[in-house]
Amino acid sequence: MTNDDSDVSTFEWTPPGTLPPEVGEADPQAVGDLADELLATLENRGLTAADLIRKVARSTCDWLNDEGCPDAAVGKALLDHELVLLREAHGWRAPVARFLAALEGVCGRIADNGAPELREALSAECARWQEFSSELLPDRSRCAAALLDQGSLNPAAGLESGEVILIHGWSETVARGVELAQARGLVPEIIVSEGGPDLGGRRLARRLVASGLAVRFIYDAALVDAVKRVDRIWLGTESIGSRAFIGRLGTRAVLERAHELDVPSAVIATTDKLLPKGAVQAPMWSTDEPWHLWEGAPHGVTVESQSFESIPLELASVFATNEGLFGAQELMRRTDLVPAS
């Protein structure tokens, strides 16, 4: 695994002599030049969805504009072959699903799969996803702003100086929210869990301590008990559906305990995490790669390694986004209306 001084996720490593299932079991014909180029990027599950998409979009543009790109059926080749590993490894993440849906939409609008205009349209669509100011990939640093508003009527908002916040593992968006609170002089104390098999909580703890914040680091098993010691709970997510959102294993129990103790909770996420008209699903690789939980488990031991779970929207007090605060009911309506791109 990674050492304590590393700033990367342990999801980037693979046990000696093995390949992740989505690579090792893939049809060789489904892996082309672009897929080969993207392999290292796709294996890095520590990348934020936004950074991953920008890297993929940039490489896809280069592939589409390369002389070796197939002249016929370019759309089918892109979606069914070159980006098949992206879909398998990261399609559970809402921003990635929206990116792929946007490319599918371009192919659907142009009937001739080998037409030059399709190649140009796909390239233009990928260029849109590379823009750092793009509405397609909103600014994560803005999401927590409403939670700091002292004039808000929402009980989950109005963070005061010195409050204690509980965070379950790593989240770039939550990290930026805490840093925003610190920049405004609120200086909260943070309790961070280890964060599952990738030990993402270490990444968050190192980052926040480096910025001058006080951090307590706990086992995931201590999360539920820690709820009684905190003023609020902040969580991240990779995907929000019409009825549930995806969180690290243990999130549901923490939120249920928070309800019992009347501790406000917030899921902090950009609006690209909304999965339109879709049911969220945990990543298959987390089930298919049991070595994350126990490498070399003996015969007869069934390793249940799925480290994510689906949590009902109603369990979170509020969802803090770059467009403001939303309750569960409003978010349910929004996921039915928001377009895929």
Side-chain angles (χ1 to χ4, degrees), residues 1 42 112 140 154 175 190 192 196 220 241 259 290 308 315:
M1 290 194 180
L42 299 181
D112 186 352
R140 298 187 296 276
N154 193 299
I190 309 300
V192 181
D220 286 350
H259 266 276
F308 293 86
L315 284 182

PDB file of all heavy atoms in Angstrom, residues 1 42 112 140 154 175 190 192 196 220 241 259 290 308 315:
ATOM      1  N   MET A   1       0.835  -1.195   0.000  1.00  0.00           N
ATOM      2  CA  MET A   1       0.000   0.000   0.000  1.00  0.00           C
ATOM      3  C   MET A   1       0.875   1.251   0.000  1.00  0.00           C
ATOM      4  O   MET A   1       2.091   1.176   0.022  1.00  0.00           O
ATOM      5  CB  MET A   1      -0.909   0.018   1.231  1.00  0.00           C
ATOM      6  CG  MET A   1      -1.999  -1.037   1.202  1.00  0.00           C
ATOM      7  SD  MET A   1      -3.244  -0.683   2.452  1.00  0.00           S
ATOM      8  CE  MET A   1      -4.339  -2.059   2.140  1.00  0.00           C
ATOM      9  N   LEU A  42      -7.047   5.192 -15.597  1.00  0.00           N
ATOM     10  CA  LEU A  42      -8.241   4.502 -15.119  1.00  0.00           C
ATOM     11  C   LEU A  42      -7.963   3.696 -13.867  1.00  0.00           C
ATOM     12  O   LEU A  42      -8.849   3.503 -13.025  1.00  0.00           O
ATOM     13  CB  LEU A  42      -8.801   3.588 -16.216  1.00  0.00           C
ATOM     14  CG  LEU A  42      -9.237   4.285 -17.509  1.00  0.00           C
ATOM     15  CD1 LEU A  42      -9.801   3.257 -18.488  1.00  0.00           C
ATOM     16  CD2 LEU A  42     -10.252   5.371 -17.236  1.00  0.00           C
ATOM     17  N   ASP A 112     -24.886   8.736 -39.529  1.00  0.00           N
ATOM     18  CA  ASP A 112     -23.754   8.111 -40.213  1.00  0.00           C
ATOM     19  C   ASP A 112     -22.581   7.993 -39.253  1.00  0.00           C
ATOM     20  O   ASP A 112     -21.919   8.982 -38.933  1.00  0.00           O
ATOM     21  CB  ASP A 112     -23.358   8.943 -41.438  1.00  0.00           C
ATOM     22  CG  ASP A 112     -22.277   8.253 -42.278  1.00  0.00           C
ATOM     23  OD1 ASP A 112     -21.740   7.223 -41.818  1.00  0.00           O
ATOM     24  OD2 ASP A 112     -21.979   8.757 -43.377  1.00  0.00           O
ATOM     25  N   ARG A 140     -15.940  22.700  -7.220  1.00  0.00           N
ATOM     26  CA  ARG A 140     -16.219  22.015  -5.951  1.00  0.00           C
ATOM     27  C   ARG A 140     -16.045  22.924  -4.745  1.00  0.00           C
ATOM     28  O   ARG A 140     -16.617  22.662  -3.682  1.00  0.00           O
ATOM     29  CB  ARG A 140     -15.303  20.795  -5.821  1.00  0.00           C
ATOM     30  CG  ARG A 140     -15.508  19.755  -6.903  1.00  0.00           C
ATOM     31  CD  ARG A 140     -14.697  18.505  -6.635  1.00  0.00           C
ATOM     32  NE  ARG A 140     -13.264  18.708  -6.648  1.00  0.00           N
ATOM     33  CZ  ARG A 140     -12.509  18.711  -7.749  1.00  0.00           C
ATOM     34  NH1 ARG A 140     -13.079  18.513  -8.938  1.00  0.00           N
ATOM     35  NH2 ARG A 140     -11.211  18.893  -7.679  1.00  0.00           N
ATOM     36  N   ASN A 154     -31.906  26.872   7.523  1.00  0.00           N
ATOM     37  CA  ASN A 154     -31.702  25.427   7.560  1.00  0.00           C
ATOM     38  C   ASN A 154     -30.856  25.060   8.767  1.00  0.00           C
ATOM     39  O   ASN A 154     -29.773  25.610   8.968  1.00  0.00           O
ATOM     40  CB  ASN A 154     -31.011  24.963   6.271  1.00  0.00           C
ATOM     41  CG  ASN A 154     -31.057  23.465   6.101  1.00  0.00           C
ATOM     42  OD1 ASN A 154     -30.537  22.720   6.918  1.00  0.00           O
ATOM     43  ND2 ASN A 154     -31.698  23.014   5.031  1.00  0.00           N
ATOM     44  N   ALA A 175     -13.147  18.383   1.759  1.00  0.00           N
ATOM     45  CA  ALA A 175     -11.888  19.029   2.152  1.00  0.00           C
ATOM     46  C   ALA A 175     -11.910  20.510   1.814  1.00  0.00           C
ATOM     47  O   ALA A 175     -11.505  21.359   2.627  1.00  0.00           O
ATOM     48  CB  ALA A 175     -10.711  18.340   1.443  1.00  0.00           C
ATOM     49  N   ILE A 190     -11.850  18.719  13.532  1.00  0.00           N
ATOM     50  CA  ILE A 190     -12.294  17.669  12.615  1.00  0.00           C
ATOM     51  C   ILE A 190     -12.035  16.286  13.206  1.00  0.00           C
ATOM     52  O   ILE A 190     -10.951  16.017  13.729  1.00  0.00           O
ATOM     53  CB  ILE A 190     -11.559  17.782  11.258  1.00  0.00           C
ATOM     54  CG1 ILE A 190     -11.663  19.210  10.705  1.00  0.00           C
ATOM     55  CG2 ILE A 190     -12.129  16.774  10.267  1.00  0.00           C
ATOM     56  CD1 ILE A 190     -13.077  19.685  10.452  1.00  0.00           C
ATOM     57  N   VAL A 192     -11.960  12.529  11.722  1.00  0.00           N
ATOM     58  CA  VAL A 192     -11.914  11.840  10.437  1.00  0.00           C
ATOM     59  C   VAL A 192     -11.777  10.342  10.663  1.00  0.00           C
ATOM     60  O   VAL A 192     -10.933   9.901  11.452  1.00  0.00           O
ATOM     61  CB  VAL A 192     -10.730  12.329   9.575  1.00  0.00           C
ATOM     62  CG1 VAL A 192     -10.719  11.622   8.228  1.00  0.00           C
ATOM     63  CG2 VAL A 192     -10.811  13.836   9.366  1.00  0.00           C
ATOM     64  N   GLY A 196     -12.345   3.253   5.055  1.00  0.00           N
ATOM     65  CA  GLY A 196     -12.408   2.047   4.242  1.00  0.00           C
ATOM     66  C   GLY A 196     -11.052   1.555   3.799  1.00  0.00           C
ATOM     67  O   GLY A 196     -10.006   2.006   4.274  1.00  0.00           O
ATOM     68  N   ASP A 220     -13.020   3.297  11.463  1.00  0.00           N
ATOM     69  CA  ASP A 220     -14.375   3.322  10.910  1.00  0.00           C
ATOM     70  C   ASP A 220     -15.388   2.731  11.900  1.00  0.00           C
ATOM     71  O   ASP A 220     -16.525   3.179  11.993  1.00  0.00           O
ATOM     72  CB  ASP A 220     -14.432   2.523   9.603  1.00  0.00           C
ATOM     73  CG  ASP A 220     -13.773   3.258   8.443  1.00  0.00           C
ATOM     74  OD1 ASP A 220     -13.451   4.453   8.595  1.00  0.00           O
ATOM     75  OD2 ASP A 220     -13.574   2.626   7.381  1.00  0.00           O
ATOM     76  N   GLY A 241     -28.771   9.622  -6.847  1.00  0.00           N
ATOM     77  CA  GLY A 241     -29.872   9.207  -7.702  1.00  0.00           C
ATOM     78  C   GLY A 241     -31.193   9.796  -7.252  1.00  0.00           C
ATOM     79  O   GLY A 241     -31.248  10.696  -6.413  1.00  0.00           O
ATOM     80  N   HIS A 259     -29.761  10.981  13.265  1.00  0.00           N
ATOM     81  CA  HIS A 259     -31.196  11.251  13.401  1.00  0.00           C
ATOM     82  C   HIS A 259     -31.645  11.053  14.846  1.00  0.00           C
ATOM     83  O   HIS A 259     -32.416  11.856  15.383  1.00  0.00           O
ATOM     84  CB  HIS A 259     -32.000  10.334  12.472  1.00  0.00           C
ATOM     85  CG  HIS A 259     -32.314  10.952  11.150  1.00  0.00           C
ATOM     86  ND1 HIS A 259     -33.387  11.789  10.949  1.00  0.00           N
ATOM     87  CD2 HIS A 259     -31.689  10.868   9.958  1.00  0.00           C
ATOM     88  CE1 HIS A 259     -33.424  12.181   9.699  1.00  0.00           C
ATOM     89  NE2 HIS A 259     -32.395  11.640   9.064  1.00  0.00           N
ATOM     90  N   PRO A 290     -11.418  -8.530  -4.030  1.00  0.00           N
ATOM     91  CA  PRO A 290     -11.428  -8.771  -2.575  1.00  0.00           C
ATOM     92  C   PRO A 290     -10.099  -8.518  -1.889  1.00  0.00           C
ATOM     93  O   PRO A 290     -10.051  -8.404  -0.669  1.00  0.00           O
ATOM     94  CB  PRO A 290     -11.844 -10.243  -2.471  1.00  0.00           C
ATOM     95  CG  PRO A 290     -11.467 -10.852  -3.779  1.00  0.00           C
ATOM     96  CD  PRO A 290     -11.696  -9.763  -4.802  1.00  0.00           C
ATOM     97  N   PHE A 308     -18.709   0.323  -0.491  1.00  0.00           N
ATOM     98  CA  PHE A 308     -19.657   1.415  -0.682  1.00  0.00           C
ATOM     99  C   PHE A 308     -21.071   0.889  -0.473  1.00  0.00           C
ATOM    100  O   PHE A 308     -21.325  -0.309  -0.570  1.00  0.00           O
ATOM    101  CB  PHE A 308     -19.521   2.015  -2.086  1.00  0.00           C
ATOM    102  CG  PHE A 308     -18.216   2.721  -2.323  1.00  0.00           C
ATOM    103  CD1 PHE A 308     -17.099   2.007  -2.741  1.00  0.00           C
ATOM    104  CD2 PHE A 308     -18.092   4.085  -2.134  1.00  0.00           C
ATOM    105  CE1 PHE A 308     -15.886   2.641  -2.963  1.00  0.00           C
ATOM    106  CE2 PHE A 308     -16.883   4.728  -2.353  1.00  0.00           C
ATOM    107  CZ  PHE A 308     -15.782   4.009  -2.770  1.00  0.00           C
ATOM    108  N   LEU A 315     -32.094  10.390   4.733  1.00  0.00           N
ATOM    109  CA  LEU A 315     -31.265  10.290   5.935  1.00  0.00           C
ATOM    110  C   LEU A 315     -30.355  11.495   6.110  1.00  0.00           C
ATOM    111  O   LEU A 315     -29.907  11.780   7.228  1.00  0.00           O
ATOM    112  CB  LEU A 315     -30.431   9.009   5.897  1.00  0.00           C
ATOM    113  CG  LEU A 315     -31.177   7.714   6.203  1.00  0.00           C
ATOM    114  CD1 LEU A 315     -30.222   6.522   6.169  1.00  0.00           C
ATOM    115  CD2 LEU A 315     -31.873   7.785   7.561  1.00  0.00           C
TER     116      LEU A 315
END
